[in-house]
Amino acid sequence: MQLPREVIVGNGTIEQVANISRKLGFTKSALVIAGSKTNDIAGKTVRELLEDRKMEVNTFLVETATIKDVETVEERIRTLKPEIVFGVGGGTKIDVAKCSSARQAIPFISVPTTASHDGIASPLSSIKGSGTPYSVLAQAPLAIIADTNIIMQAPWRFAVSGCADVIAKLTAVKDWKLAHEERNEYYGAYAASLALMSARLVIESADLIGEKSEEGIRVLIEALISCGVSMSIAGSSRPCSGSEHLFSHSLETIRPDCSLHGERCGVGTIMMAFLHGANWKQVKKTLEKLEAPASASDLGVDKEEIVRALELAASLRPERYTILHKMNLRYDGYGRLAKTTGVI
Ligand SMILES: [Zn+2]
């Protein structure tokens, strides 16, 4: 198990960046990976705070998370030899920092500027062009510094997407249990419980989160971090990624850059909960309460694209047994599923 050693969530926690760095034994050099926007929002602050402590800091900006970006950052790491890599941003920047630092065997610290998915704390990274449309194991962040003040300034859509990514654990855990029962796959009750508890907490706190209060955003961030930790405990994405994620990945390949990861996972969770015989209406109601997408039109995709994505989902990752593999529906069956649940 590889777990974060320091997790700091709260208003103004970015100010702690140099203290945390020193506490973990990094006093000489660091490389900050950020995007041009997230560098303005938080990357420059991280750099200044570290430089105030006489650390040598370099910044490298990335805008996408492709295998080429990872290789370029790896080259920077080999040249600059930093003690520690900081990933400052939402999904893509943290993914690049996580993957490149892992491949160069140096630790990384996660400084999320949004709460849009659980990658901010997970040991997995999602890299385009790596041959897999889903996340693969990289390394867990050594520390997570989540400043609620910064995260609350991000567009609200990101937080809503993060909520949906946590709610998705309801069906991810059911799929994992199914694989254990029917395919004798390893199942970790502790990791599963942690992911499930996070989902339940976000559902219970939907009103609080909807108020856009600091307390609400804190619940969400802690839930996302707990999901990340559950993956570290399991040693895979199993507790957090099941059939609903397969649907999300396949819809993304059919209609790239149209919706956020968590938004697609939320819609997937409605349909997969139905297949599992679970309370799909509660999932749908919660998503609607949060004003998260709950249908094809909310996601900005055609009805037919939803059905095609469902059809493609099971073949995307044959080794990851889920309810989709068990049911083995055909095009018409998927159409009925999407209609019955009001997705199309
Ligand atoms: Zn996810």
Side-chain angles (χ1 to χ4, degrees), residues 117-119 165 168-169 240-241 245 261-262 265:
H117 61 77
D118 58 26
D165 195 30
K169 307 332 176 202
C240 294
S241 169
H245 271 68
H261 167 83
C265 289

Side-chain angles (χ1 to χ4, degrees), residues 243-318:
S243 48
E244 74 300 317
H245 271 68
L246 292 178
F247 165 76
S248 167
H249 300 319
S250 60
L251 187 57
E252 154 107 283
T253 60
I254 292 170
R255 272 291 286 274
D257 306 320
C258 176
S259 48
L260 298 175
H261 167 83
E263 294 175 335
R264 294 188 298 275
C265 289
V267 173
T269 308
I270 300 172
M271 295 186 284
M272 303 313 151
F274 180 90
L275 290 182
H276 273 291
N279 191 351
W280 64 274
K281 286 182 180 166
Q282 185 199 33
V283 173
K284 192 169 181 173
K285 235 173 75 185
T286 309
L287 291 174
E288 285 168 350
K289 193 189 275 182
L290 288 160
E291 294 180 20
S295 67
S297 59
D298 291 347
L299 284 175
V301 300
D302 302 339
K303 292 176 180 181
E304 199 246 335
E305 287 170 324
I306 293 279
V307 185
R308 264 172 52 215
L310 284 166
E311 203 180 23
L312 176 69
S315 62
L316 213 59
R317 214 176 166 178

Side-chain angles (χ1 to χ4, degrees), residues 197-248:
M197 186 181 73
S198 306
R200 292 198 177 126
L201 202 63
V202 164
I203 291 171
E204 280 168 26
S205 310
D207 286 323
L208 186 71
I209 296 170
E211 288 167 13
K212 305 183 184 177
S213 62
E214 196 194 333
E215 198 187 343
I217 205 89
R218 207 187 160 100
V219 169
L220 169 61
I221 294 168
E222 287 177 356
L224 289 168
I225 292 173
S226 297
C227 290
V229 168
S230 78
M231 287 185 261
S232 289
I233 293 171
S236 82
S237 63
R238 255 304 192 182
C240 294
S241 169
S243 48
E244 74 300 317
H245 271 68
L246 292 178
F247 165 76
S248 167

Side-chain angles (χ1 to χ4, degrees), residues 122-139:
S122 80
L124 292 100
S125 63
S126 168
I127 303 296
K128 286 206 169 84
S130 58
T132 49
Y134 47 84
S135 304
V136 292
L137 217 52
Q139 68 172 339

Side-chain angles (χ1 to χ4, degrees), residues 19-239:
N19 285 343
I20 299 297
S21 184
R22 199 176 48 179
K23 201 169 162 188
L24 294 168
F26 310 114
T27 52
K28 292 187 185 73
S29 55
L31 176 63
V32 174
I33 305 299
S36 54
K37 265 194 224 148
T38 59
N39 193 41
D40 287 342
I41 293 165
K44 286 177 182 167
T45 311
V46 169
R47 183 177 179 146
E48 281 163 19
L49 289 164
L50 296 173
E51 282 178 340
D52 283 350
R53 300 287 179 92
K54 307 279 175 275
M55 281 178 77
E56 188 196 322
V57 188
N58 284 280
T59 304
F60 190 79
L61 301 183
V62 289
E63 297 307 330
T64 49
T66 65
I67 192 71
K68 203 168 177 322
D69 294 311
V70 170
E71 284 164 0
T72 313
V73 173
E74 280 189 86
E75 183 56 45
R76 299 304 299 153
I77 293 172
R78 281 195 295 271
T79 311
L80 298 164
K81 297 187 174 52
E83 290 175 309
I84 179 81
V85 170
F86 284 85
V88 182
T92 50
K93 286 73 189 178
I94 287 177
D95 273 339
V96 172
K98 192 190 293 177
C99 186
S100 52
S101 60
R103 284 165 57 146
Q104 290 300 313
I106 62 165
F108 107 100
I109 292 177
S110 173
V111 185
T113 54
T114 65
S116 60
H117 61 77
D118 58 26
I120 58 171
S122 80
L124 292 100
S125 63
S126 168
I127 303 296
K128 286 206 169 84
S130 58
T132 49
Y134 47 84
S135 304
V136 292
L137 217 52
Q139 68 172 339
L142 187 59
I144 302 156
I145 302 169
D147 190 328
T148 48
N149 184 38
I150 290 172
I151 291 169
M152 284 175 77
Q153 284 170 36
W156 187 244
R157 183 182 174 193
F158 289 119
V160 169
S161 176
C163 290
D165 195 30
V166 177
I167 293 168
K169 307 332 176 202
L170 289 177
T171 47
V173 168
K174 283 196 185 296
D175 282 323
W176 194 15
K177 199 143 198 225
L178 185 75
H180 173 64
E181 285 162 0
E182 300 195 1
R183 290 290 187 271
N184 208 20
E185 197 183 299
Y186 161 77
Y187 175 79
Y190 185 82
S193 305
L194 192 58
L196 207 53
M197 186 181 73
S198 306
R200 292 198 177 126
L201 202 63
V202 164
I203 291 171
E204 280 168 26
S205 310
D207 286 323
L208 186 71
I209 296 170
E211 288 167 13
K212 305 183 184 177
S213 62
E214 196 194 333
E215 198 187 343
I217 205 89
R218 207 187 160 100
V219 169
L220 169 61
I221 294 168
E222 287 177 356
L224 289 168
I225 292 173
S226 297
C227 290
V229 168
S230 78
M231 287 185 261
S232 289
I233 293 171
S236 82
S237 63
R238 255 304 192 182

